[in-house]
Amino acid sequence: MEETYLLNVEGVKKKILHGGRGELPKLQDGSKFTFHFQTLKDDFERTVIDDSREAGMPMEIIVGKMFKLEIWETLLSSMRIGEVAEFWCDAIHTGMYALVSRGMRRIAEGRDPLEGQKHRCGMGNMFDYHSTGYDDLDELQRTPQPLIFIMELFRVRGRRGWLPEREQLGQAAQLLLLVQVEDPSAYKRDTWAMSKEEKLAAVPVLHSEGNRLVLRREFAQAAAKYQEAVICLRNLQAKEKPWEDGWLKLESLVTPLVLNYCQCQLELGEYYEVLEHTTELLQKHNDNAKAYFKRAKAHAAVWNEREAREDFQRVAHLDPSMAAAVKKELKQLGERMRKKHVEDRKRYQGLFQSSQGV
C-alpha cells in the first residue's frame, strides 16, 4: 500500500490501495466516469455511510455537468483505470454530501431522487432539505465533518469512445474494461471490498497478527491490526438488529479487540484515546472489569485521581481476582499523587517568594 500523499488540493489526502494501469485519462467535458465507491466517517470504526456495492449499482458522473459534489471530479481525475484509492476530504469539500447521498439512495430504492423537492432557485431548495429522510444524513447536514471516500475506477468513457483510445487496447483488454477491470484475486483486498465471509475469516487472522506484534512491542502496528478487525465486525454488525443474537455474537468479538487496542494506546501514551474508547465500551457493558481497569490507568496517567480511584474500586468489586492488581495500582497512584503535591507546593512557594522579591 503506497504512503499517503497530498493532492494539489487543499484539504485532500490520497492513499493508493491498488495501482491502476496506463496513463491518467485525458478528460474533456462530457467524459463519463464509472466507479464504485464507499463513504466512511473519519472515526475510529470508520463507520460506513454509503457503499455502492451494497446498493447493487456503480456510480456514474459526467465531467463538466456541475455534479453537486465537485471534489469527486477532482479525485477521479487523479486515478488510472483499475486503481483503488482512499481519499480523506476535509469538511470544506463534503458539505453537500448528504444531499448527493439522499439522491443516490432514492434511486437505489427505485424512487424519484427529486421527490419532495420544489422547483425553486438553489438557495430556496436548501430550505426544503431541512430533513433528508435519513437520520445519518441529517446528522451530516447538522455537523459538517471530514469524510473518507474509497473509490475504484473501472471505466472512463469520452465523447468518442473509451479512454485510453480503443486502438491502443487489444480485444480482450476492451472486453475487460467493459465489464470491470478488477480481478479481486490479484491483490490483497482491503476491508471495504470484502464479503461477509471474508470479513469473518479476516478477524481471527488480524487478532493473531496483533497479538504477535504486541509480543514484539510493536504497539502502533498491533493497534492498527486490532482496529481493522473491529472495523470488519462493525460493518457486519451494522446489518444486524441491535441487541439481538447476531448483533450480540459480533459484539462479543468486538469487545476483546477494543480492549487490546486500548492496551496498545496505554503503552503508546495515548491516554485520552483510551478514556474515549473505554467509556464508550462501558456505556454498553457496564460490568466489564477490564475496561474499568484500563480506564482507571488512563485516568491515573492524566492525574484524574478521583476518577481513577472510583474505577479501580469498581474493578475490585466486579472481579475479586483482580484485587491484588488494583491494590498495587492504588499504592502507585497514591505515591505519584503525593510526589506531585510536594512538587506543586515547592513550585508555588518559589513563585510566591519570587513575586515578593520583585
Side-chain angles (χ1 to χ4, degrees), residues 185-295:
S185 63
Y187 62 100
K188 183 179 180 295
R189 306 183 78 185
D190 207 10
T191 303
W192 74 279
M194 291 180 181
S195 67
K196 177 180 178 179
E197 292 72 22
E198 288 171 329
K199 286 174 183 172
L200 284 172
V203 168
V205 175
L206 291 166
H207 197 159
S208 178
E209 288 177 356
N211 292 347
R212 178 176 55 80
L213 289 163
V214 165
L215 291 174
R216 290 162 53 180
R217 300 191 65 78
E218 297 178 16
F219 297 113
Q221 295 89 332
K225 296 294 182 182
Y226 295 137
Q227 182 180 18
E228 188 176 351
V230 170
I231 291 166
C232 284
L233 293 169
R234 289 299 192 208
N235 286 349
L236 294 172
Q237 219 177 15
K239 299 174 178 63
E240 302 285 344
K241 214 165 183 180
W243 302 104
E244 292 197 351
D245 287 347
W247 189 94
L248 288 169
K249 285 177 183 176
L250 293 168
E251 185 69 14
S252 69
L253 298 175
V254 167
T255 300
L257 288 163
V258 173
L259 290 172
N260 287 359
Y261 176 85
C262 288
Q263 183 60 42
C264 291
Q265 298 306 318
L266 281 174
E267 298 286 352
L268 294 166
E270 300 291 345
Y271 304 119
Y272 289 103
E273 186 163 359
V274 175
L275 291 175
E276 177 187 346
H277 295 303
T278 50
T279 298
E280 184 180 337
L281 191 63
L282 288 165
Q283 286 171 350
K284 296 177 185 174
H285 312 287
N286 62 5
D287 59 348
N288 192 303
K290 290 181 180 178
Y292 278 117
F293 189 78
K294 295 185 194 306
R295 190 171 74 171

Side-chain angles (χ1 to χ4, degrees), residues 75-238:
L75 306 184
L76 289 162
S77 66
S78 77
M79 299 176 68
R80 293 172 169 78
I81 297 293
E83 182 178 318
V84 182
E86 175 178 311
F87 299 92
W88 178 91
C89 295
D90 201 356
I92 59 173
H93 299 296
T94 63
M96 294 295 289
Y97 183 76
L99 304 188
V100 171
S101 176
R102 173 186 186 267
M104 292 187 293
R105 290 184 187 187
R106 285 178 176 272
I107 291 170
E109 293 165 2
R111 299 163 63 189
D112 180 357
L114 300 179
E115 180 184 325
Q117 180 176 330
K118 298 176 183 177
H119 294 281
R120 292 159 54 185
C121 68
M123 185 59 71
N125 276 330
M126 288 298 291
F127 293 101
D128 293 323
Y129 282 108
H130 62 280
S131 174
T132 62
Y134 303 92
D135 291 342
D136 58 338
L137 299 183
D138 287 345
E139 179 195 345
L140 289 182
Q141 281 203 134
R142 286 191 298 270
T143 55
Q145 56 195 268
L147 294 174
I148 296 167
F149 302 111
I150 300 178
M151 294 177 161
E152 177 182 13
L153 180 63
F154 58 87
R155 192 182 301 169
V156 181
R157 187 181 180 92
R159 288 180 298 185
R160 294 186 177 181
W162 295 97
L163 301 176
E165 295 294 332
R166 283 179 181 270
E167 302 87 68
Q168 299 174 6
L169 298 171
Q171 187 175 6
Q174 289 183 41
L175 179 60
L176 186 60
L177 281 174
L178 284 166
V179 180
Q180 187 170 343
V181 299
E182 172 199 18
D183 174 7
S185 63
Y187 62 100
K188 183 179 180 295
R189 306 183 78 185
D190 207 10
T191 303
W192 74 279
M194 291 180 181
S195 67
K196 177 180 178 179
E197 292 72 22
E198 288 171 329
K199 286 174 183 172
L200 284 172
V203 168
V205 175
L206 291 166
H207 197 159
S208 178
E209 288 177 356
N211 292 347
R212 178 176 55 80
L213 289 163
V214 165
L215 291 174
R216 290 162 53 180
R217 300 191 65 78
E218 297 178 16
F219 297 113
Q221 295 89 332
K225 296 294 182 182
Y226 295 137
Q227 182 180 18
E228 188 176 351
V230 170
I231 291 166
C232 284
L233 293 169
R234 289 299 192 208
N235 286 349
L236 294 172
Q237 219 177 15

Side-chain angles (χ1 to χ4, degrees), residues 332-348:
Q332 290 177 351
L333 175 62
E335 290 171 354
R336 288 182 68 238
M337 295 308 299
R338 277 192 295 275
K339 203 175 286 186
K340 182 176 185 295
H341 293 324
V342 170
E343 291 172 357
D344 287 347
R345 190 160 55 245
K346 287 179 180 177
R347 189 179 301 113
Y348 294 141

Side-chain angles (χ1 to χ4, degrees), residues 33-37 52 57-61 67 72 100 104 154:
F33 292 107
T34 304
F35 59 100
H36 272 301
F37 75 95
S52 62
M57 56 187 290
M59 181 70 183
E60 293 184 341
I61 63 173
F67 182 62
W72 273 16
V100 171
M104 292 187 293
F154 58 87

Side-chain angles (χ1 to χ4, degrees), residues 1-21:
M1 188 180 292
E2 295 190 15
E3 289 186 0
T4 300
Y5 64 90
L6 291 172
L7 286 176
N8 190 25
V9 181
E10 182 185 358
V12 176
K13 296 178 186 178
K14 177 180 178 181
K15 182 191 295 180
I16 295 176
L17 305 181
H18 173 59
R21 63 173 179 269

